[in-house]
Every structure is written in C-alpha cells, then in structure tokens.
Amino acid sequence: MAFELGIYHFGELTPDPTTHQPPAPGTRLRELVEQARTADEAGLDIFAVGEHHRTDFAVSSPAVLLAAMAENTRTIKLSSAVTVLSSDDPVRVFQQFATLDLLSGGRAEIIAGRGSYIESFPVFGYDLNEYSELFAEKLDLLLKLREENPVTWRGSLRPPLMNADITPRPDRELPVWVAVGGTPASVVRAGRLGLPLSLAIIGGSYRQFAPFVDLYRKAGAEAGHAPEKLKVSVNSPGFVAATHQEAVKVSHPYFQAGWMANHHQRGQGVPMPKMAYEAQATPAGAFFLGSVQEVTDKIMAQYEVFGHDRMMIQLGFGNVPQREALKSIELLGAEVAPVVRKEIASLEASAARVTA
Amino acid sequence: MTAAPLRVVAVVGTLSAPSRTTALVELILATLAARTAVDTRLIELHTLGPAFTGATDRDQVDDEVADALRAVEEADLVIAATPVFRGSYTGLFKHFFDLVDQYGLAAKPVLLAATGGSDRHALVIEHAMRPLFGFLQAWTAPAGIYLNSGDFDGTTILNPEVYERIEMAVNDVVPVAGALAAVRAGNAAPVGPVHV
C-alpha cells in the first residue's frame, strides 16, 4: 500500500471568535462536502468525518454525510472518524457502510472506537459502566458480519442473531480500523485482532507514541498476523499554508475557540495560548502545522519513528473559514502529498534492496 | 488609582543551563505578564556562586546574594521551582530558603513548580515542597505545576496541558497576590474579625 494522506473533521459548530456566531449546521455540512470534493481533486487519499451527539457538532450520522460526499467525489476513500461503535448497533453500522461502499464504488471505510465523548450512551440507552465490554462485544459482531452471511452470533449485551440475513453485501471486505487514544489495552486488542490501528496524537511529543506502536506490532505478531496487515495511521490536528507565520496566524484563533469549547478544566474552557500552539508546530511537536516544507518534514520525521502507512490531519479545527480551509487542502494535496509519497516509496525501495 | 505592578520573583533551584525548570518558569512569568502588570525577576541559584553555596549564615553572603534574598522577602508573589534531584528539591534550593528570613515568606503567595525525569516524581510538590513552605507559613497556590521530561523537546514545552495548568494556577494566584499587595501598601484594609 502506498503511503496515504488525508483529512478528518468532526463538523464542530464552534462560534466564530470574532462574530461569536456559530455556523448553521446545514452550511457546515455542505462546506464539508465541498472540502471532500476539493480533497479528491487535489489528490488526497482519504476524507473522514467524526461523530458527536450534541448541539455544538453538525455530524452525528457520518454515513449519511459520506454518502453525499460519495456523489461529489471520484477516487478519495470515505471513512468515519470515528464510529462510536460502543453506543451503536453493529448491524446498522455494517449496513450503512456496505451501502456507502456500493454507492461509492468500493471507497468506504470504518474507523471504530470506544468514543471519547459520552453523550451518545444515554441517548441510545447504553450503560457507561459497560463502556469497555460494549466495544469488545460489538467489534466482535462487526467483524463477524464482515466475514459471513447469513450470520449466527450470540453475545451478552445485544440480542442474538440466528441465521440472520444482513444486506446489502459489499463487493469486497469492508476495511475496519480501530481508533485508539492513549490506552495500551486498546492497542493490544487491535494487534491481537490483526486490525489496522488509527492512532490519535492530539498534542505533545509524537515520539512518546513510539512504544505504543511497537506494542501494537508486537501484539499483532504474537497473535500470528502478517506485518503488512498491521497498518498504522497517525492522526493529528494542523493547518498548512504558504508560510509558517500564515498557518499559525490564520488557524490559531479558530483552534483556540474550538479548544476552549471542547477542553474544560474546573468546568470552564481553558485557552490554548499562541505559544502553546506554536510549540506543536516545532519539529518534535505533534501538529501538522506550518508551511508545506514544515509539514512534509514532520511527516517524514514521523515515518522514521513509526514506519506508518497513513497520516490524517484534522484540518482547521474550530472552523477556519471555508476559503482558507480549501486553500490548505489544496496545498496538502498538491504540494505535500506528492513529495511525501515519492520520498517514502524511495525509502521503501531501498529498504527492499537491502533486505534482498 | 492604578495598582502598582506585582513584584514577582522566581527562584529556580536548577544546577544547569540551559534548564527545563528555567524554561518552565519563563513560561509561568510570560503567562503572568499576559494576565496582569508585573515586575519580574528570575534568580537561577547556580549562578550565585560560592558566596551563596559557601555561606552557612546570612551574615556571610555577598551583596548579590543578599539582594536576591531581599528580593524574595519583598516580593508580592514568589515562584519557587526546582528540578527533582535524588527524590526531592535540590540542595541549592533548600539552602536558599534556609537563608531566607524565618518569617520573610509568611502569608506571601508562593506558586510551586517542579520538573522531573518521569511522573513518578510528581508528588514532590505535595510531599517535599509544600511542607517546606508550610513551615515558612507561606500562602501556597492550590495548583502546583509539575512537568516530566516527556513534556519537553529540549527546553520547548510541547504538552498543551501544561499551558492550561499554568493558566489555571496563575488565575488562582493573581487575585490573592494583588489583594495582599494592596493590604501591604496600605491601599486596602486588612480583613479583621467579623462581628455578627
């Protein structure tokens, strides 16, 4: 698999820091469709949308939004980021993404996770005390649905399926990635199941995650999975612009607004000062933030540490204005992606020569 | 009438330069400066030299060291920061506060900060530093700031949570420091007994 670059978005409705007005959900959703089209045209590999269940987010049903994107794009992969599998029904998730896969000509993917926000649990009637068990059991069912039809399955948290016919069937095995934040047990689970790992690094030093990726590969190898099955995606916020200064200047006020809305201490939003934001743009920091050259260098430096297969940027968090976001997407697709793909392909070729 | 700038003195018990602990203190001072008017002074103890380390009594220090000790005693707010060395604050750090006047820090706001190799040392603030400043009857800020080496790239602080923690600690301590400074300057009445 060639190295992949993409974008993910949660459709947040953070009020604009200057006007204090939140964007209208419909406007935001149509903007995201336009972003996906731009990403497709710019040659990016994947566009993913997250799932939140509260007023300050526009996306609660990623598959519906992704279906609209499917009609407006040609080659880009369309994924959830993430599907909160713990509070959803795996049968419905499978059906929706199978539909998306058929509609899009085999471009659908699922990134499944336990969820870092918990609003969806009471909405769908799930008990947070079973947070971990819910995910384990539902992931088991989702994988079973992928493997066979009709399906017979029994668990303890969902009614059993007896010779159930789950349709439509996609023309291929639907990709299912496992999203993890910082829990070693989640990494080990993904490795044991031989599922690709989608790793969120949302701040600090990305190097701290190297042992995490090693643990994943070790758990996968011990369970007997081939190394090429054990794919890794690194996902971090960021913004690309013509210059470092422009990237920070344009995106910081919006990022800070989004951060304050979603990151609380003692019940209040805490600001992300500009110098804290800038620190993430330094070579060791986690964000894909800066000029084309800086972001290219960051991806290559991460590749040295992780040897990963995909990176995804949460681009313009907090609602950078659409025009600026589209410009950034174009730079990422047209200028960063070709260089990164070429560099990594040549590194892989020389590694293969050494091995041979 | 505008209040005079807060006199903030930071004491860093570091042994080296460049220093992660100093980088942390500089970030705290910058955050304070963004929050309110301040006159800041940063004292890195290893720069004070033999006139400090060789003194076993206040009478033996030279003018530079005497000035540093006085600055701390006269400050409106003290930042006390140290790397963790052999499980606790450095010897330099303790030595400095051994030479400070017994009641020089009484009822004075002190913000505690420390850096260590890993989070295994995080309680150094609660188990080593706070008792020392408790003895000195200082008014320690409720939130201490501890960083491990993974929070840094060199002396650049990468962990966004650190910036948050500093904002919070600074927001807690500034009103207290301002109020106490006003009392000392005679611009506000000290809080007396409440008669109901």
Tab-separated table of all heavy atoms in Angstrom, chain A residues 135-172:
chain	number	residue	atom	x	y	z
A	135	PHE	N	-17.695	-2.218	23.686
A	135	PHE	CA	-16.881	-2.094	22.487
A	135	PHE	C	-16.340	-3.458	22.057
A	135	PHE	O	-16.393	-3.818	20.876
A	135	PHE	CB	-15.719	-1.111	22.706
A	135	PHE	CG	-14.905	-0.890	21.455
A	135	PHE	CD1	-15.445	-0.174	20.400
A	135	PHE	CD2	-13.630	-1.414	21.321
A	135	PHE	CE1	-14.717	0.019	19.224
A	135	PHE	CE2	-12.899	-1.225	20.160
A	135	PHE	CZ	-13.446	-0.500	19.106
A	136	ALA	N	-15.852	-4.222	23.010
A	136	ALA	CA	-15.273	-5.530	22.685
A	136	ALA	C	-16.315	-6.409	21.992
A	136	ALA	O	-16.051	-7.031	20.955
A	136	ALA	CB	-14.750	-6.198	23.952
A	137	GLU	N	-17.521	-6.440	22.562
A	137	GLU	CA	-18.551	-7.321	22.018
A	137	GLU	C	-19.039	-6.837	20.646
A	137	GLU	O	-19.247	-7.627	19.715
A	137	GLU	CB	-19.726	-7.397	23.004
A	137	GLU	CG	-20.808	-8.331	22.499
A	137	GLU	CD	-21.848	-8.652	23.561
A	137	GLU	OE1	-21.460	-9.061	24.671
A	137	GLU	OE2	-23.039	-8.490	23.275
A	138	LYS	N	-19.211	-5.532	20.517
A	138	LYS	CA	-19.735	-5.003	19.253
A	138	LYS	C	-18.700	-5.078	18.133
A	138	LYS	O	-19.062	-5.286	16.969
A	138	LYS	CB	-20.230	-3.582	19.467
A	138	LYS	CG	-21.435	-3.586	20.390
A	138	LYS	CD	-22.110	-2.271	20.444
A	138	LYS	CE	-23.393	-2.428	21.249
A	138	LYS	NZ	-24.368	-1.410	20.912
A	139	LEU	N	-17.453	-4.927	18.491
A	139	LEU	CA	-16.407	-5.087	17.477
A	139	LEU	C	-16.390	-6.541	16.989
A	139	LEU	O	-16.258	-6.808	15.788
A	139	LEU	CB	-15.042	-4.679	18.059
A	139	LEU	CG	-13.857	-4.718	17.093
A	139	LEU	CD1	-14.092	-3.777	15.901
A	139	LEU	CD2	-12.560	-4.332	17.804
A	140	ASP	N	-16.560	-7.437	17.923
A	140	ASP	CA	-16.615	-8.867	17.578
A	140	ASP	C	-17.746	-9.130	16.580
A	140	ASP	O	-17.550	-9.809	15.563
A	140	ASP	CB	-16.818	-9.678	18.867
A	140	ASP	CG	-16.954	-11.163	18.584
A	140	ASP	OD1	-15.979	-11.732	18.049
A	140	ASP	OD2	-18.030	-11.735	18.864
A	141	LEU	N	-18.905	-8.551	16.847
A	141	LEU	CA	-20.044	-8.749	15.945
A	141	LEU	C	-19.800	-8.097	14.574
A	141	LEU	O	-20.071	-8.693	13.532
A	141	LEU	CB	-21.330	-8.186	16.582
A	141	LEU	CG	-22.588	-8.200	15.699
A	141	LEU	CD1	-22.867	-9.594	15.147
A	141	LEU	CD2	-23.807	-7.695	16.489
A	142	LEU	N	-19.256	-6.882	14.592
A	142	LEU	CA	-18.996	-6.189	13.320
A	142	LEU	C	-18.066	-7.029	12.431
A	142	LEU	O	-18.288	-7.155	11.223
A	142	LEU	CB	-18.384	-4.804	13.590
A	142	LEU	CG	-18.105	-3.948	12.356
A	142	LEU	CD1	-19.402	-3.551	11.645
A	142	LEU	CD2	-17.318	-2.683	12.727
A	143	LEU	N	-17.048	-7.616	13.032
A	143	LEU	CA	-16.095	-8.423	12.254
A	143	LEU	C	-16.765	-9.698	11.726
A	143	LEU	O	-16.493	-10.146	10.614
A	143	LEU	CB	-14.866	-8.765	13.103
A	143	LEU	CG	-14.044	-7.546	13.559
A	143	LEU	CD1	-12.880	-7.992	14.442
A	143	LEU	CD2	-13.524	-6.732	12.375
A	144	LYS	N	-17.637	-10.240	12.541
A	144	LYS	CA	-18.371	-11.445	12.140
A	144	LYS	C	-19.291	-11.143	10.951
A	144	LYS	O	-19.389	-11.919	10.004
A	144	LYS	CB	-19.189	-11.938	13.346
A	144	LYS	CG	-19.974	-13.197	13.101
A	144	LYS	CD	-19.249	-14.391	13.690
A	144	LYS	CE	-20.174	-15.604	13.669
A	144	LYS	NZ	-19.455	-16.845	13.927
A	145	LEU	N	-19.941	-9.972	10.994
A	145	LEU	CA	-20.836	-9.558	9.910
A	145	LEU	C	-20.063	-9.381	8.610
A	145	LEU	O	-20.579	-9.614	7.520
A	145	LEU	CB	-21.526	-8.234	10.268
A	145	LEU	CG	-22.510	-8.269	11.433
A	145	LEU	CD1	-22.855	-6.856	11.883
A	145	LEU	CD2	-23.775	-9.018	11.025
A	146	ARG	N	-18.818	-8.953	8.742
A	146	ARG	CA	-17.962	-8.743	7.584
A	146	ARG	C	-17.598	-10.085	6.944
A	146	ARG	O	-17.433	-10.185	5.746
A	146	ARG	CB	-16.705	-8.020	8.086
A	146	ARG	CG	-15.846	-7.428	7.031
A	146	ARG	CD	-14.847	-6.477	7.626
A	146	ARG	NE	-13.781	-7.145	8.386
A	146	ARG	CZ	-12.529	-6.697	8.458
A	146	ARG	NH1	-12.193	-5.598	7.814
A	146	ARG	NH2	-11.627	-7.318	9.178
A	147	GLU	N	-17.478	-11.115	7.808
A	147	GLU	CA	-16.981	-12.410	7.350
A	147	GLU	C	-18.042	-13.278	6.697
A	147	GLU	O	-17.767	-13.974	5.729
A	147	GLU	CB	-16.431	-13.206	8.539
A	147	GLU	CG	-14.982	-12.925	8.850
A	147	GLU	CD	-14.633	-13.433	10.246
A	147	GLU	OE1	-15.230	-14.448	10.694
A	147	GLU	OE2	-13.775	-12.797	10.894
A	148	GLU	N	-19.232	-13.289	7.292
A	148	GLU	CA	-20.191	-14.284	6.809
A	148	GLU	C	-21.629	-13.766	6.751
A	148	GLU	O	-22.004	-12.864	7.492
A	148	GLU	CB	-20.139	-15.539	7.705
A	148	GLU	CG	-20.322	-15.260	9.173
A	148	GLU	CD	-19.915	-16.472	10.013
A	148	GLU	OE1	-18.713	-16.814	10.030
A	148	GLU	OE2	-20.811	-17.047	10.654
A	149	ASN	N	-22.395	-14.331	5.848
A	149	ASN	CA	-23.829	-14.045	5.739
A	149	ASN	C	-24.508	-15.280	5.138
A	149	ASN	O	-24.043	-15.791	4.111
A	149	ASN	CB	-24.068	-12.825	4.837
A	149	ASN	CG	-25.497	-12.334	4.967
A	149	ASN	OD1	-25.904	-11.971	6.056
A	149	ASN	ND2	-26.249	-12.360	3.875
A	150	PRO	N	-25.588	-15.781	5.693
A	150	PRO	CA	-26.222	-15.334	6.928
A	150	PRO	C	-25.316	-15.554	8.146
A	150	PRO	O	-24.394	-16.355	8.102
A	150	PRO	CB	-27.477	-16.199	6.999
A	150	PRO	CG	-27.160	-17.408	6.188
A	150	PRO	CD	-26.251	-16.957	5.097
A	151	VAL	N	-25.648	-14.848	9.213
A	151	VAL	CA	-24.774	-14.878	10.373
A	151	VAL	C	-25.535	-15.346	11.623
A	151	VAL	O	-26.705	-15.010	11.835
A	151	VAL	CB	-24.133	-13.480	10.594
A	151	VAL	CG1	-25.194	-12.434	10.881
A	151	VAL	CG2	-23.095	-13.506	11.693
A	152	THR	N	-24.841	-16.144	12.408
A	152	THR	CA	-25.359	-16.558	13.708
A	152	THR	C	-24.358	-16.099	14.768
A	152	THR	O	-23.162	-16.389	14.655
A	152	THR	CB	-25.539	-18.086	13.753
A	152	THR	OG1	-26.505	-18.445	12.763
A	152	THR	CG2	-26.022	-18.540	15.129
A	153	TRP	N	-24.879	-15.374	15.734
A	153	TRP	CA	-23.966	-14.749	16.715
A	153	TRP	C	-24.690	-14.602	18.047
A	153	TRP	O	-25.888	-14.334	18.094
A	153	TRP	CB	-23.520	-13.381	16.188
A	153	TRP	CG	-22.658	-12.594	17.134
A	153	TRP	CD1	-21.298	-12.594	17.214
A	153	TRP	CD2	-23.103	-11.650	18.123
A	153	TRP	NE1	-20.875	-11.728	18.174
A	153	TRP	CE2	-21.954	-11.137	18.764
A	153	TRP	CE3	-24.373	-11.201	18.545
A	153	TRP	CZ2	-22.025	-10.197	19.787
A	153	TRP	CZ3	-24.435	-10.266	19.570
A	153	TRP	CH2	-23.267	-9.776	20.183
A	154	ARG	N	-23.941	-14.772	19.124
A	154	ARG	CA	-24.534	-14.585	20.439
A	154	ARG	C	-23.573	-13.804	21.329
A	154	ARG	O	-22.381	-14.073	21.366
A	154	ARG	CB	-24.832	-15.960	21.066
A	154	ARG	CG	-25.481	-15.893	22.455
A	154	ARG	CD	-25.824	-17.293	22.972
A	154	ARG	NE	-26.880	-17.908	22.178
A	154	ARG	CZ	-28.190	-17.669	22.375
A	154	ARG	NH1	-28.586	-16.836	23.313
A	154	ARG	NH2	-29.078	-18.272	21.620
A	155	GLY	N	-24.099	-12.776	22.000
A	155	GLY	CA	-23.310	-12.022	22.969
A	155	GLY	C	-24.135	-11.812	24.214
A	155	GLY	O	-25.177	-12.453	24.383
A	156	SER	N	-23.679	-10.895	25.103
A	156	SER	CA	-24.448	-10.714	26.338
A	156	SER	C	-25.110	-9.340	26.397
A	156	SER	O	-25.954	-9.088	27.247
A	156	SER	CB	-23.530	-10.909	27.547
A	156	SER	OG	-22.480	-9.965	27.502
A	157	LEU	N	-24.737	-8.413	25.497
A	157	LEU	CA	-25.245	-7.047	25.596
A	157	LEU	C	-26.172	-6.672	24.447
A	157	LEU	O	-26.638	-5.559	24.363
A	157	LEU	CB	-24.058	-6.065	25.645
A	157	LEU	CG	-23.123	-6.255	26.850
A	157	LEU	CD1	-21.814	-5.520	26.645
A	157	LEU	CD2	-23.791	-5.778	28.133
A	158	ARG	N	-26.392	-7.624	23.535
A	158	ARG	CA	-27.260	-7.369	22.389
A	158	ARG	C	-28.000	-8.668	22.087
A	158	ARG	O	-27.449	-9.748	22.268
A	158	ARG	CB	-26.389	-6.991	21.176
A	158	ARG	CG	-27.174	-6.568	19.965
A	158	ARG	CD	-26.376	-6.769	18.673
A	158	ARG	NE	-27.132	-6.236	17.538
A	158	ARG	CZ	-28.154	-6.856	16.971
A	158	ARG	NH1	-28.527	-8.056	17.388
A	158	ARG	NH2	-28.792	-6.312	15.955
A	159	PRO	N	-29.260	-8.565	21.588
A	159	PRO	CA	-29.977	-9.805	21.260
A	159	PRO	C	-29.184	-10.645	20.258
A	159	PRO	O	-28.490	-10.077	19.395
A	159	PRO	CB	-31.285	-9.299	20.621
A	159	PRO	CG	-31.444	-7.908	21.112
A	159	PRO	CD	-30.077	-7.368	21.353
A	160	PRO	N	-29.280	-11.959	20.358
A	160	PRO	CA	-28.520	-12.824	19.445
A	160	PRO	C	-29.061	-12.760	18.015
A	160	PRO	O	-30.186	-12.327	17.782
A	160	PRO	CB	-28.713	-14.222	20.031
A	160	PRO	CG	-29.947	-14.129	20.858
A	160	PRO	CD	-30.062	-12.721	21.338
A	161	LEU	N	-28.255	-13.178	17.069
A	161	LEU	CA	-28.661	-13.263	15.658
A	161	LEU	C	-28.683	-14.735	15.282
A	161	LEU	O	-27.712	-15.455	15.495
A	161	LEU	CB	-27.668	-12.507	14.767
A	161	LEU	CG	-27.585	-10.994	14.975
A	161	LEU	CD1	-26.360	-10.432	14.263
A	161	LEU	CD2	-28.855	-10.332	14.460
A	162	MET	N	-29.843	-15.183	14.759
A	162	MET	CA	-29.971	-16.580	14.363
A	162	MET	C	-30.124	-16.647	12.854
A	162	MET	O	-31.160	-16.268	12.319
A	162	MET	CB	-31.205	-17.218	15.025
A	162	MET	CG	-31.128	-17.313	16.547
A	162	MET	SD	-29.691	-18.235	17.135
A	162	MET	CE	-30.136	-19.874	16.545
A	163	ASN	N	-29.052	-17.079	12.186
A	163	ASN	CA	-29.127	-17.246	10.737
A	163	ASN	C	-29.691	-15.978	10.069
A	163	ASN	O	-30.537	-16.046	9.176
A	163	ASN	CB	-30.031	-18.458	10.428
A	163	ASN	CG	-29.560	-19.161	9.179
A	163	ASN	OD1	-28.399	-19.013	8.779
A	163	ASN	ND2	-30.449	-19.907	8.541
A	164	ALA	N	-29.214	-14.828	10.522
A	164	ALA	CA	-29.759	-13.549	10.064
A	164	ALA	C	-29.129	-13.144	8.732
A	164	ALA	O	-27.929	-13.294	8.524
A	164	ALA	CB	-29.505	-12.472	11.114
A	165	ASP	N	-29.955	-12.594	7.861
A	165	ASP	CA	-29.513	-12.160	6.534
A	165	ASP	C	-29.251	-10.651	6.588
A	165	ASP	O	-30.186	-9.856	6.671
A	165	ASP	CB	-30.620	-12.497	5.530
A	165	ASP	CG	-30.205	-12.176	4.101
A	165	ASP	OD1	-28.986	-11.992	3.855
A	165	ASP	OD2	-31.108	-12.107	3.244
A	166	ILE	N	-28.013	-10.268	6.568
A	166	ILE	CA	-27.648	-8.846	6.724
A	166	ILE	C	-27.193	-8.314	5.367
A	166	ILE	O	-26.133	-8.704	4.859
A	166	ILE	CB	-26.525	-8.666	7.768
A	166	ILE	CG1	-26.873	-9.373	9.083
A	166	ILE	CG2	-26.237	-7.182	7.993
A	166	ILE	CD1	-28.114	-8.889	9.788
A	167	THR	N	-27.950	-7.416	4.794
A	167	THR	CA	-27.666	-6.940	3.445
A	167	THR	C	-27.731	-5.414	3.395
A	167	THR	O	-28.284	-4.810	4.300
A	167	THR	CB	-28.709	-7.487	2.435
A	167	THR	OG1	-29.986	-7.009	2.833
A	167	THR	CG2	-28.695	-8.992	2.387
A	168	PRO	N	-27.197	-4.753	2.362
A	168	PRO	CA	-26.530	-5.370	1.206
A	168	PRO	C	-25.113	-5.842	1.548
A	168	PRO	O	-24.535	-5.405	2.545
A	168	PRO	CB	-26.491	-4.224	0.195
A	168	PRO	CG	-26.400	-2.992	1.038
A	168	PRO	CD	-27.197	-3.283	2.278
A	169	ARG	N	-24.594	-6.711	0.712
A	169	ARG	CA	-23.212	-7.169	0.895
A	169	ARG	C	-22.299	-6.333	0.001
A	169	ARG	O	-22.580	-6.161	-1.187
A	169	ARG	CB	-23.078	-8.651	0.500
A	169	ARG	CG	-24.021	-9.586	1.225
A	169	ARG	CD	-23.890	-9.549	2.719
A	169	ARG	NE	-22.561	-9.924	3.204
A	169	ARG	CZ	-22.208	-9.859	4.498
A	169	ARG	NH1	-23.075	-9.417	5.402
A	169	ARG	NH2	-21.007	-10.223	4.875
A	170	PRO	N	-21.223	-5.806	0.544
A	170	PRO	CA	-20.272	-5.073	-0.303
A	170	PRO	C	-19.520	-6.060	-1.221
A	170	PRO	O	-19.524	-7.260	-0.958
A	170	PRO	CB	-19.325	-4.423	0.693
A	170	PRO	CG	-19.474	-5.201	1.956
A	170	PRO	CD	-20.816	-5.855	1.949
A	171	ASP	N	-18.908	-5.539	-2.292
A	171	ASP	CA	-18.196	-6.396	-3.236
A	171	ASP	C	-16.817	-6.811	-2.731
A	171	ASP	O	-16.061	-7.443	-3.457
A	171	ASP	CB	-18.023	-5.660	-4.579
A	171	ASP	CG	-19.380	-5.359	-5.217
A	171	ASP	OD1	-20.310	-6.165	-5.033
A	171	ASP	OD2	-19.495	-4.291	-5.871
A	172	ARG	N	-16.479	-6.395	-1.525
A	172	ARG	CA	-15.128	-6.683	-1.006
A	172	ARG	C	-15.211	-6.697	0.513
A	172	ARG	O	-16.266	-6.399	1.083
A	172	ARG	CB	-14.163	-5.580	-1.456
A	172	ARG	CG	-14.638	-4.236	-0.949
A	172	ARG	CD	-13.691	-3.088	-1.209
A	172	ARG	NE	-14.139	-1.927	-0.424
A	172	ARG	CZ	-13.313	-1.050	0.103
A	172	ARG	NH1	-12.019	-1.175	-0.032
A	172	ARG	NH2	-13.780	-0.029	0.800
